[in-house]
Amino acid sequence: MVDAFEQWWDGVELWMAQLAFPFQFGLLMCVLLPLCLGAARLIDRVVDNASSRYNPVPKVPPPAEPGKVDAGSGS
């Protein structure tokens, strides 16, 4: 299994090395750009979930309606 993958990868590598530079660059960007974007989104979600789990945002009470007197203010 590993040998078959290595032979396939060597073939892809040889094919890509024989392309002209603009085609190499374009092909690399078409493959790497989506992979890097996906990895960045995954890392962002993991960090967001971890930070919200270990440092939750406290609940803030809704603001009082204008014109109403707060019962706890004593006025």
Side-chain angles (χ1 to χ4, degrees):
M1 175 78 178
V2 175
D3 288 336
F5 178 74
E6 286 178 5
Q7 288 177 353
W8 173 81
W9 183 253
D10 286 341
V12 170
E13 192 175 24
L14 180 63
W15 170 75
M16 197 164 170
Q18 293 174 350
L19 291 174
F21 177 73
F23 295 115
Q24 287 179 356
F25 181 77
L27 186 60
L28 192 67
M29 287 297 110
C30 288
V31 172
L32 276 184
L33 207 59
L35 286 176
C36 290
L37 182 63
R41 285 186 176 182
L42 179 68
I43 291 168
D44 185 50
R45 284 190 178 184
V46 168
V47 169
D48 279 348
N49 286 338
S51 65
S52 67
R53 177 171 290 152
Y54 294 115
N55 190 16
V57 177
K59 299 284 185 198
V60 177
E65 293 181 23
K68 280 196 169 183
V69 178
D70 187 14
S73 67
S75 18

